[in-house]
Amino acid sequence: MQLFSSSWDASNVHASVAGTLLRELVSIQDVEKSALCQAWKEKGPTCYPLNVTLPDIASPSLIDRVQRRPDVEGKIRVIKENRTRERKSDVYIPPRARSGMQAASGSPFSLMDKVKEFLDSDQKVFLILGDSGAGKSTFCRQLERELWQDYKEGTGRIPLHINLPTFDKPEHDMIFKRLKRADFSDQQIQELKHHRKFILICDGYDECRQTHNLYTSNRLNQPGEWDVQMVISCRSTYIGSDYRYRFQPGDRNQKSGSPLLQEAVLAPFSTDQVEDYINQFVCIREPHWKAEDYKQALDLNPDLMELVKKPYWMALTLDVLPCMVDPGNDLSKKSASRVLLLDHFVEQWLERSKKRLGEKEMNPQERTAFEKLSAEGFTSNGIRYIKMFATAIYKEQDGHPVVKYSQPVDRKTWKDELLGPTEMQLLYEACPLSQDGHRYQFIHRSLLEYGLARAVYDPQGMRDMSSSSMRMPSMDTSTDHIWSLGFSSEPKYMAVMVDEEPDLESPLMWRNFENDHFVVQLLVERAQHEPMFKEQLLAYIEYSKKNKKWCTAAANAITILVRGGEHFIGSDLRGIRIPGADLSYGVFDSVQFQGADMRDVKLRGAWLRETNLRNADLTGVRFDELLCLRDDSSVVSCAYSADGKLFAVGLEQGNIKVYLTSNWKRIWTLKGHTSSVLGVTFSSDGDRIASASSDKSIRLWEMGSGACSHVVTDHSGAANCVAYSPQGDQLVSASDDKTLRLRDPVTGHWRRILPGHEKGVRCVAYSPKGNLIASGGDDATIRLWNVGTGECIHIFRGHQIDGDSIGVCSIAFSPQGDQVASSGSDNTIRIWNIETAECSKVLSGHGNRVMSVAYFRNGAQVASGSLDGTLRVWDVKSGECQHTWTGLSTPINCVASSPNGDLIAFGDSGGTVRLLDLSVETSRPIQEAVAEVHYSPKGVLVASCTHASSTIRHLDAETGLHRKTTTLDGSVGGTVYSIAFSPRGNQICLGCTNNDILLWDVETRNVEKTLTGHAGMIYSVMYSPVGDRIASSSLTGSVRIWDTKTGECRIYLRGVGKIKRIAFSTDGRLTAIGGTDGSIQLWCDTTCIDTIKWDALKGRDGDVSSLAFSGVWLAAGRKDWTVGLWNTQTRILKVLKGHGHVVLCVAFSPKGILASGGLDRTVRLWDVESGQCRRVIQNIQEGVTSITWSTTLDVNELFTGCQDGTVLKWQVVEGKSYDVHLRWGATSASLNVAGASIRGVNGLNRLNKELLWQRGATGGPDYLVYKVKERTLALTPQKIRAPKIPLDDICEAVRIVFGCLFYVVGRVLVFLFIFIFGWGIGALLANIVWYIKSHF
């Protein structure tokens, strides 16, 4: 039997034979043989001629022959040998990844380790996501090699790499097609199907334009089908946000989670990985540059360093960098972008190919063709061929990258034209293309997309052309030309004069690039480098006004310009045709869009302030935002029905409002409770609502009639929560009387009392099966009850009780019923494992009590709402906070998730329920509130300070374009509370809650120093005017002044009270300290030389929220809505009034203009001498948190940062009253349509109209009715001021009324005229007749 063993090891025979021969060599006196023996001892057995590896046995074993089973192992060994031999010399750095699309924070993990962990589990699909060039394909090939190395013959799982774009219809018989391509027979395939297991490595889901779920369409792991685990890769930009259904095993609409699917997103290279890659590259490729040359070049160009953190771009950059710049030269001034790197790469590839082909043996026909191509310009011909090949793929195959060509079959087709002639064959061989049998394709998809982008605009070709067709901007007013994009006031673009029509053959004309993300990205970069291309794009937009044949090109053009950050403030875009364009996050303030064709346009997060959309066609337009539900009372509770068709809101005033979720129309207002409705729930069939109130009653309501059917008042304390069982056979209520009561679901009468909590019970929930109840109380415990027996089976402890004696605020079961999530007054969310009765995760990040928590997305995530005014979305498995919605001015009281989608509803104390579609919202570029804006000549630095970290955005000061983002991890020093920039902007100071102060270098992102000494949380930090000192304060009442070079504490001030803000005087000699009592102290070193305090306005807090010096003047913003202006020499105090809410920031311009901003969403400009407000800047979407001025004296430029992450640049022109112009806006993720006119628009549905009206738009036939309803809600004590109906809408209404009156009066007058005229004519005729009769 040993002869038939497949595990027979030939190495033992080799060793035995070698040993015998060596003993013989030692005994024989032969010089050559002795030398061979010595060489074996020195070099090992590799030099021994008989030490050869025996070939693997390719024939079937005797047992397989007896059983007549088809041989498969022989072919498997061949595949293994081929796959493990390929690409062994490539540079490979093991990639890292994060757990999902929204996992922006947290430490990345080893992707290989995670995939192998997946392969050892019962999960079936592992999804690898990443951007273009992130290293997906490289990893898939490496994974296949490692799996083949671990393969055990006869029993192991067979790794099978499938390059999806190379297969026709991979949604059916994918494995069969792959094995047939490897020359397996049908019998062998059936043998493998029924007796072996596979690991499928499917690469390029996006490249083959798939929309099918390959796992389900191939019936994998079904009875009698293939037994597999699947690893599949896809570009993250291709699949959108609602992507899991394309990959998860099972039904798309299944309500349970999908534990069979796991995903990971490739993370960029770290600095260490970049260095490792460079070292490997230099060692393997041996270029003429050294590793130090590459590192120096990358260090000089931060943009290039950011780009090479993706493996593909790293390899490409290292290949072309020596040709771009000489080592040691200054690379910092060279622009680095993907399109420029690809330009160099392609040209370098073609030059090398030309040299290679020149040395190759050719027949006369090939030699003649080669010489002709060389004479015409080989590189230019190669680029032209790349453009032709890429254009044909997109035009003929809709972008499918693989071209199948067979000369007899494809004769006289486009394929034959590109691949048949000798010249074309030479160009194909010279270009970065590959051939596998009859399949032809680019070596990487990015080169295919580059070819199409270069076909749109070829910079080399345009430089060689005459510039007559596209001239530079001119002020000629001849009517023989078309004038585009004129601006009403100081336009950004002058008119572009066009003598000839743009290129009709351009791909912009026949393909919509909306979903070709990388092509658009390349064209955006091209437009930023090539002004002539930008002019072409503007010309396409202008020509669309004349003829609809330009509409596709115009839509592509404006999409490219908007993606590139171009602003269209004040543009004249009347009558443009841009159907299907993507204008998301574009800035279109004061644009004229009258009569524009904007069908199916995406306007997510766009700025359309003061825009005129009259008579524009907005059919199918997408804002990707939902309207808010507003009321005049605080929202306390909310709930969806089980089918998601109804939504109920419980209000503080005691009413319940029920809405249809299809159109968010209110169908019932349920009245009966006399106090706050603390809990509301639907029965499982949606026919009834149960409500709990602080008036101690439980009410049951019939949805058919809206009537209250039963009222029970058996609780002795406030009824805090109520819940129906999933089966609808029971109702449970929780109360401040420390009990739970199980009730009859129809009458509400109690059946059983569950005592046990030591304090009031605040929340209760049923498990999905209805056999368990979880309750949370003010005793900070979560108790788990058996519904059948009424026993408490578990008590979970972990939450802390706050000062108001509140413990657990909210509780929710996961959809699978294996977890409970709870939120508490200790600002945390805890995830409890039901089986182990242990806390598996503590989710920290909120800054105040977490009032509500809800599971969604099949239990993979939870959403939480807090009194800190933020909504957070957490990943349950990793515990990471994936998204935070900030900028809400009121606390969040309740959160509810839709049962059959990604819709999250949350209600706040201001009476508003906001609706978020998570499938859209999580793809937004959510920005945190701006903590500070700093101006420097190099650009604008925007600091967003969160509880976990700080983010620095680098914006271009002239254009507002985003340069890069730097994330400073605050975990090194606890959570970040305060932040300040150094005067030069090269350093940032972070004050942390663990009493430390961190000094970060903005460029290197390293902590330079850690300043310690405070005994309490660092509340405020501030740099001196020259940056040599830092002042810091803590709530313990101490101030320290530090030396920034040495990190030593120079001055220590004690006992100065509770401090909120610090400021240095202009010369740095004085330090101003603002306290919580409204006082301001002036210090010189360690001496307090002056103190001033003024009374806060009645009923308001006088805390000092901001301080700023300008010469002898000190300005202080306060929470009592005032600005104090104090002359530190004369002690004259001016109190400036006008703001409608808390003043958060003040700043002086170099010329002494005072600007103040606050939560009233305005910025006020003050004259310091007179104390008069010279200008109010309005129409700002959210509260203003930071203000800074440019340092140039020749122009007044103001930069403002807001709660929603928006940064705005304003130009202030001095005069009798300051004239203010918005120059650019680095937008937030929110739609802004304040002042936009939608009068007469076509195709806009009711929901979108109401959404626009809520965001400040005006116009439309129902607008006045809407404003009257809103005014009715606004005229309550809870509102600061009632909204005003715009004057133009009042004038329109008056015009309509008077027009009707004039119409009626005119008709009456005409009738009277006709009557009188007819009567007069009749009388005249009668007299004539009488006269004739009487005289004749």
Side-chain angles (χ1 to χ4, degrees):
M1 293 301 293
Q2 187 177 1
L3 295 174
F4 308 123
S5 174
S6 61
S7 61
W8 179 74
D9 191 356
S11 62
N12 294 329
V13 176
H14 296 167
S16 177
V17 172
T20 301
L21 291 176
L22 282 172
R23 285 191 295 271
E24 291 179 359
L25 286 171
V26 172
S27 60
I28 297 175
Q29 299 298 324
D30 189 296
V31 177
E32 294 182 1
K33 294 178 180 179
S34 298
L36 179 61
C37 179
Q38 185 65 27
W40 186 92
K41 292 179 179 180
E42 293 177 355
K43 299 181 181 180
T46 55
C47 65
Y48 185 57
L50 294 182
N51 185 22
V52 294
T53 303
L54 294 179
D56 290 329
I57 300 175
S59 59
S61 66
L62 182 58
I63 294 178
D64 288 340
R65 294 177 183 178
V66 171
Q67 295 179 351
R68 296 185 178 180
R69 293 174 60 180
D71 170 44
V72 294
E73 287 300 331
K75 288 190 177 295
I76 290 175
R77 282 191 292 273
V78 172
I79 295 176
K80 175 182 177 179
E81 180 67 21
N82 292 335
R83 302 303 291 180
T84 53
R85 188 190 308 121
E86 290 178 1
R87 307 176 66 92
K88 285 185 178 180
S89 61
D90 278 1
V91 180
Y92 178 75
I93 300 295
R96 302 177 305 163
R98 291 190 170 91
S99 58
M101 287 278 280
Q102 284 78 45
S105 61
S107 300
F109 48 78
S110 167
L111 180 59
M112 186 64 74
D113 292 345
K114 183 65 69 172
V115 170
K116 291 186 176 180
E117 179 185 322
F118 155 80
L119 295 175
D120 291 335
S121 70
D122 294 330
Q123 293 178 306
K124 297 302 181 184
V125 179
F126 193 102
L127 172 62
I128 300 174
L129 297 170
D131 295 333
S132 174
K136 301 180 295 296
S137 297
T138 302
F139 174 79
C140 287
R141 290 192 295 268
Q142 180 66 23
L143 174 62
E144 183 195 19
R145 282 195 290 271
E146 292 193 13
L147 292 177
W148 274 121
Q149 290 170 0
D150 297 337
Y151 172 75
K152 295 181 180 179
E153 192 170 299
T155 59
R157 292 176 296 178
I158 301 172
L160 203 60
H161 184 277
I162 299 179
N163 187 10
L164 291 173
T166 64
F167 286 84
D168 289 331
K169 298 181 179 180
E171 61 269 22
H172 300 298
D173 299 323
M174 174 172 56
I175 302 176
F176 178 85
K177 295 173 183 176
R178 175 65 180 88
L179 293 175
K180 289 295 288 185
R181 187 173 292 181
D183 296 327
F184 281 84
S185 66
D186 291 346
Q187 288 183 332
Q188 290 172 323
I189 292 174
Q190 289 300 315
E191 171 69 17
L192 291 171
K193 182 175 184 179
H194 296 295
H195 298 93
R196 300 301 295 272
K197 296 180 180 180
F198 284 81
I199 299 174
L200 294 187
I201 305 171
C202 301
D203 187 26
Y205 180 87
D206 56 291
E207 294 187 41
C208 61
R209 303 284 171 171
Q210 269 296 321
T211 57
H212 295 86
N213 185 321
L214 298 182
Y215 184 92
T216 56
S217 64
N218 281 276
R219 295 180 52 79
L220 301 181
N221 294 310
Q222 296 295 314
E225 299 293 337
W226 299 95
D227 187 349
V228 304
Q229 282 181 292
M230 176 189 287
V231 178
I232 185 168
S233 71
C234 181
R235 281 192 193 182
S236 51
T237 54
Y238 173 73
I239 52 178
S241 56
D242 185 20
Y243 60 89
R244 290 176 179 82
Y245 74 91
R246 297 190 185 187
F247 305 100
Q248 69 182 15
D251 183 12
R252 170 178 179 173
N253 299 316
Q254 62 183 3
K255 292 188 177 181
S256 62
S258 182
L260 302 179
L261 171 67
Q262 189 174 348
E263 61 183 286
V265 179
L266 284 165
F269 277 165
S270 64
T271 304
D272 292 339
Q273 287 179 307
V274 170
E275 292 187 5
D276 289 345
Y277 194 104
I278 293 174
N279 293 333
Q280 284 192 34
F281 180 85
V282 172
C283 181
I284 294 174
R285 300 289 182 87
E286 299 181 354
H288 65 271
W289 269 28
K290 299 179 181 179
E292 290 72 19
D293 297 329
Y294 284 109
K295 294 173 185 178
Q296 181 184 5
L298 294 178
D299 288 339
L300 289 172
N301 195 313
D303 293 336
L304 192 59
M305 174 62 84
E306 197 67 26
L307 189 60
V308 300
K309 289 184 178 179
K310 295 181 179 179
Y312 174 76
W313 297 107
M314 167 66 86
L316 193 145
T317 301
L318 297 186
D319 196 30
V320 304
L321 198 55
C323 300
M324 295 176 63
V325 63
D326 293 329
N329 287 2
D330 186 9
L331 189 66
S332 60
K333 296 182 181 180
K334 287 185 175 290
S335 56
S337 64
R338 292 168 177 81
V339 70
L340 294 182
L341 286 173
L342 287 169
D343 284 343
H344 285 280
F345 174 78
V346 169
E347 291 172 9
Q348 181 174 304
W349 182 288
L350 291 170
E351 289 295 331
R352 291 173 179 173
S353 297
K354 177 184 177 182
K355 182 179 179 180
R356 175 175 52 82
L357 290 175
E359 298 172 352
K360 176 184 175 182
E361 292 187 7
M362 300 183 186
N363 60 41
Q365 184 180 3
E366 291 175 337
R367 179 61 61 182
T368 301
F370 176 74
E371 292 175 353
K372 180 182 178 183
L373 291 173
S374 299
E376 294 173 352
F378 192 86
T379 300
S380 59
N381 274 316
I383 291 174
R384 189 177 301 113
Y385 183 81
I386 290 173
K387 294 191 296 183
M388 292 170 54
F389 201 83
T391 301
I393 287 175
Y394 274 92
K395 198 166 190 176
E396 304 294 340
Q397 299 188 165
D398 194 28
H400 191 282
V402 179
V403 177
K404 293 184 177 180
Y405 170 68
S406 176
Q407 192 171 22
V409 177
D410 297 309
R411 187 180 299 276
K412 296 183 179 181
T413 64
W414 65 272
K415 298 178 184 179
D416 195 43
E417 292 177 2
L418 287 173
L419 298 168
T422 303
E423 290 184 6
M424 295 299 182
Q425 291 177 4
L426 288 174
L427 288 174
Y428 182 91
E429 186 177 350
C431 290
L433 297 156
S434 65
Q435 179 181 358
D436 181 13
H438 296 296
R439 292 179 290 274
Y440 300 78
Q441 65 183 107
F442 283 89
I443 60 174
H444 193 273
R445 184 171 181 86
S446 64
L447 292 167
L448 165 63
E449 294 163 319
Y450 167 79
L452 184 66
R454 191 146 184 173
V456 172
Y457 183 85
D458 188 345
Q460 189 61 45
M462 291 302 298
R463 293 188 190 103
D464 297 338
M465 290 173 57
S466 171
S467 60
S468 61
S469 61
M470 286 288 178
R471 299 179 184 174
M472 295 303 292
S474 170
M475 292 302 293
D476 184 8
T477 57
S478 171
T479 57
D480 295 334
H481 305 290
I482 292 178
W483 298 91
S484 69
L485 306 184
F487 285 71
S488 58
S489 174
E490 298 188 31
K492 181 177 178 181
Y493 300 115
M494 302 303 290
V496 177
M497 186 169 64
V498 182
D499 289 330
E500 297 180 3
E501 290 186 342
D503 183 12
L504 283 168
E505 299 300 321
S506 170
L508 292 175
M509 293 289 295
W510 47 263
R511 182 176 180 85
N512 191 311
F513 288 163
E514 177 191 355
N515 295 320
D516 297 315
H517 301 283
F518 189 67
V519 176
V520 172
Q521 184 178 12
L522 294 177
L523 292 174
V524 165
E525 293 175 358
R526 188 72 80 188
Q528 292 171 346
H529 294 300
E530 301 286 344
M532 191 176 294
F533 180 44
K534 185 183 294 184
E535 292 174 16
Q536 282 188 5
L537 297 176
L538 297 176
Y540 280 119
I541 297 172
E542 188 65 27
Y543 267 97
S544 72
K545 298 178 181 180
K546 296 177 56 180
N547 195 318
K548 65 180 181 181
K549 72 178 180 181
W550 304 100
C551 65
T552 301
N556 286 323
I558 199 167
T559 297
I560 294 166
L561 291 171
V562 169
R563 293 269 183 93
E566 295 297 325
H567 299 156
F568 290 81
I569 301 173
S571 301
D572 182 2
L573 301 180
R574 287 176 289 188
I576 66 168
R577 297 179 174 91
I578 51 171
D582 187 355
L583 308 185
S584 298
Y585 314 112
V587 179
F588 297 93
D589 289 346
S590 303
V591 170
Q592 304 299 310
F593 272 124
Q594 297 98 312
D597 181 359
M598 301 175 67
R599 291 170 297 156
D600 301 315
V601 167
K602 292 181 179 178
L603 288 169
R604 178 193 304 179
W607 276 18
L608 299 165
R609 301 184 304 175
E610 305 294 339
T611 298
N612 194 334
L613 291 162
R614 179 176 291 187
N615 299 324
D617 189 351
L618 299 182
T619 303
V621 69
R622 289 181 52 187
F623 298 106
D624 287 339
E625 295 189 30
L626 298 171
L627 52 80
C628 300
L629 310 178
R630 302 186 188 276
D631 210 281
D632 56 354
S633 178
S634 175
V635 177
V636 183
S637 57
C638 60
Y640 278 94
S641 62
D643 58 6
K645 295 180 179 180
L646 298 175
F647 182 74
V649 177
L651 303 175
E652 187 179 39
Q653 67 182 13
N655 292 342
I656 302 168
K657 297 192 175 181
V658 184
Y659 298 85
L660 286 173
T661 58
S662 58
N663 56 13
W664 294 103
K665 190 173 184 179
R666 188 171 73 241
I667 57 173
W668 297 115
T669 299
L670 311 179
K671 299 180 179 181
H673 286 293
T674 59
S675 189
S676 297
V677 180
L678 302 178
V680 62
T681 184
F682 284 89
S683 61
S684 57
D685 55 10
D687 292 338
R688 289 184 301 277
I689 283 181
S691 58
S693 172
S694 56
D695 63 7
K696 305 179 184 180
S697 70
I698 306 292
R699 289 178 176 263
L700 305 183
W701 311 82
E702 297 294 333
M703 282 297 90
S705 62
C708 178
S709 59
H710 294 87
V711 181
V712 290
T713 56
D714 46 25
H715 279 298
S716 59
N720 293 319
C721 189
V722 66
Y724 272 104
S725 66
Q727 295 76 20
D729 59 349
Q730 204 171 56
L731 182 69
V732 64
S733 61
S735 170
D736 276 349
D737 63 9
K738 308 179 185 179
T739 67
L740 300 171
R741 292 178 182 253
L742 302 183
R743 302 179 179 276
D744 183 278
V746 178
T747 65
H749 295 150
W750 66 272
R751 297 172 176 172
R752 175 181 289 168
I753 298 178
L754 305 180
H757 280 282
E758 298 174 1
K759 293 184 179 181
V761 188
R762 287 201 165 263
C763 47
V764 65
Y766 274 96
S767 66
K769 295 181 179 179
N771 60 325
L772 298 176
I773 289 176
S775 61
D778 288 338
D779 57 2
T781 66
I782 296 98
R783 294 174 182 260
L784 205 61
W785 309 83
N786 185 298
V787 174
T789 64
E791 293 182 39
C792 178
I793 57 178
H794 286 303
I795 300 178
F796 303 144
R797 303 181 188 274
H799 285 289
Q800 303 298 318
I801 301 174
D802 66 2
D804 295 330
S805 299
I806 297 176
V808 180
C809 301
S810 177
I811 201 166
F813 270 97
S814 65
Q816 294 78 29
D818 58 341
Q819 292 177 343
V820 169
S822 63
S823 66
S825 58
D826 57 359
N827 309 349
T828 67
I829 301 101
R830 293 174 181 265
I831 308 297
W832 306 89
N833 187 294
I834 299 296
E835 184 177 350
T836 64
E838 294 179 351
C839 179
S840 58
K841 286 287 185 300
V842 179
L843 314 180
S844 301
H846 281 292
N848 206 331
R849 185 185 304 163
V850 185
M851 296 299 294
S852 186
V853 64
Y855 277 93
F856 69 101
R857 281 185 174 164
N858 295 327
Q861 293 167 306
V862 293
S864 59
S866 169
L867 293 184
D868 64 4
T870 65
L871 177 79
R872 291 176 178 261
V873 171
W874 310 81
D875 181 80
V876 173
K877 187 174 182 180
S878 66
E880 296 175 355
C881 179
Q882 298 182 328
H883 278 276
T884 304
W885 281 264
T886 60
L888 306 177
S889 57
T890 53
I892 297 175
N893 295 326
C894 55
V895 176
S897 62
S898 61
N900 52 2
D902 287 328
L903 207 62
I904 294 289
F906 58 100
D908 61 32
S909 298
T912 301
V913 176
R914 289 176 171 83
L915 306 168
L916 297 178
D917 187 347
L918 269 296
S919 64
V920 173
E921 295 289 337
T922 51
S923 63
R924 293 180 184 279
I926 298 298
Q927 304 289 356
E928 302 289 350
V930 173
E932 184 174 346
V933 177
H934 176 82
Y935 172 83
S936 71
K938 294 182 179 180
V940 180
L941 302 179
V942 184
S944 297
C945 178
T946 69
H947 289 283
S949 65
S950 292
T951 300
I952 312 300
R953 283 184 287 155
H954 301 248
L955 307 177
D956 187 282
E958 290 299 318
T959 64
L961 295 179
H962 179 269
R963 287 178 173 174
K964 64 177 179 178
T965 298
T966 303
T967 301
L968 309 180
D969 186 5
S971 61
V972 176
T975 56
V976 179
Y977 196 87
S978 53
I979 192 167
F981 280 104
S982 66
R984 291 189 301 164
N986 62 328
Q987 192 181 69
I988 186 170
C989 179
L990 303 177
C992 304
T993 56
N994 70 342
N995 313 341
D996 289 345
I997 299 170
L998 305 180
L999 302 185
W1000 283 84
D1001 186 280
V1002 173
E1003 289 297 327
T1004 64
R1005 289 176 284 182
N1006 294 325
V1007 178
E1008 293 185 331
K1009 290 182 180 65
T1010 300
L1011 312 181
T1012 60
H1014 279 289
M1017 179 182 71
I1018 311 302
Y1019 197 89
S1020 178
V1021 290
M1022 178 63 65
Y1023 280 89
S1024 64
V1026 295
D1028 61 334
R1029 289 169 295 158
I1030 292 174
S1032 61
S1033 68
S1034 70
L1035 289 180
T1036 59
S1038 65
V1039 173
R1040 291 176 181 263
I1041 298 179
W1042 313 80
D1043 187 293
T1044 56
K1045 291 184 178 179
T1046 64
E1048 297 178 355
C1049 178
R1050 288 185 180 180
I1051 299 174
Y1052 178 35
L1053 308 178
R1054 308 186 198 185
V1056 293
K1058 290 188 176 181
I1059 304 163
K1060 297 297 285 289
R1061 288 293 178 264
I1062 306 174
F1064 283 99
S1065 61
T1066 308
D1067 57 9
R1069 293 189 310 107
L1070 303 177
T1071 305
I1073 300 173
T1076 58
D1077 59 354
S1079 66
I1080 301 174
Q1081 302 175 24
L1082 208 59
W1083 291 73
C1084 182
D1085 292 334
T1086 59
T1087 304
C1088 181
I1089 61 176
D1090 206 348
T1091 302
I1092 190 170
K1093 181 179 180 180
W1094 65 97
D1095 294 333
L1097 297 184
K1098 186 177 181 181
R1100 296 177 189 163
D1101 189 357
D1103 283 12
V1104 176
S1105 56
S1106 54
L1107 290 171
F1109 264 104
S1110 178
V1112 298
W1113 290 102
L1114 174 63
R1118 303 214 309 179
K1119 287 188 177 181
D1120 64 352
W1121 307 3
T1122 66
V1123 177
L1125 195 58
W1126 184 26
N1127 189 310
T1128 57
Q1129 289 185 353
T1130 65
R1131 302 194 82 253
I1132 295 175
L1133 175 68
K1134 301 176 183 178
V1135 180
L1136 312 181
K1137 301 178 182 179
H1139 279 285
H1141 213 294
V1142 174
V1143 179
L1144 294 178
C1145 47
V1146 291
F1148 285 98
S1149 73
K1151 295 182 179 180
I1153 302 173
L1154 175 62
S1156 60
L1159 291 179
D1160 60 352
R1161 305 178 184 180
T1162 67
V1163 173
R1164 290 179 175 264
L1165 304 180
W1166 309 86
D1167 181 80
V1168 174
E1169 296 298 332
S1170 65
Q1172 298 296 315
C1173 179
R1174 302 283 294 275
R1175 182 75 176 186
V1176 180
I1177 304 176
Q1178 297 177 314
N1179 283 342
I1180 299 175
Q1181 189 83 343
E1182 294 291 345
V1184 181
T1185 56
S1186 180
I1187 294 176
T1188 190
W1189 292 84
S1190 65
T1191 56
T1192 54
L1193 293 173
D1194 56 339
V1195 63
N1196 294 315
E1197 292 179 334
L1198 177 70
F1199 300 88
T1200 59
C1202 304
Q1203 285 180 317
D1204 59 356
T1206 301
V1207 180
L1208 305 171
K1209 177 183 177 181
W1210 312 86
Q1211 183 175 348
V1212 180
V1213 181
E1214 296 184 72
K1216 292 183 178 180
S1217 63
Y1218 299 142
D1219 193 13
V1220 180
H1221 302 282
L1222 176 64
R1223 282 293 164 253
W1224 53 255
T1227 67
S1228 67
S1230 299
L1231 180 69
N1232 193 336
V1233 292
S1237 174
I1238 58 172
R1239 190 177 299 113
V1241 296
N1242 301 314
L1244 202 61
N1245 60 40
R1246 187 189 66 83
L1247 285 178
N1248 280 335
K1249 282 183 181 178
E1250 290 199 14
L1251 171 65
L1252 297 182
W1253 289 335
Q1254 282 187 353
R1255 302 300 173 86
T1258 64
D1262 302 325
Y1263 176 67
L1264 292 179
V1265 176
Y1266 169 81
K1267 294 303 288 184
V1268 168
K1269 289 181 180 178
E1270 187 183 62
R1271 184 178 177 84
T1272 302
L1273 294 177
L1275 292 175
T1276 66
Q1278 296 181 357
K1279 303 293 178 179
I1280 296 171
R1281 60 178 183 267
K1284 297 178 181 180
I1285 299 176
L1287 181 62
D1288 58 344
D1289 290 291
I1290 296 176
C1291 293
E1292 183 187 17
V1294 172
R1295 182 183 61 80
I1296 293 173
V1297 172
F1298 276 94
C1300 294
L1301 288 176
F1302 284 133
Y1303 176 80
V1304 173
V1305 172
R1307 286 300 181 97
V1308 171
L1309 291 177
V1310 170
F1311 176 78
L1312 290 176
F1313 174 78
I1314 294 174
F1315 175 78
I1316 294 172
F1317 181 78
W1319 178 81
I1321 295 295
L1324 178 63
L1325 292 174
N1327 287 330
I1328 292 174
V1329 172
W1330 173 80
Y1331 179 82
I1332 293 174
K1333 287 183 178 180
S1334 61
H1335 290 80
F1336 299 99

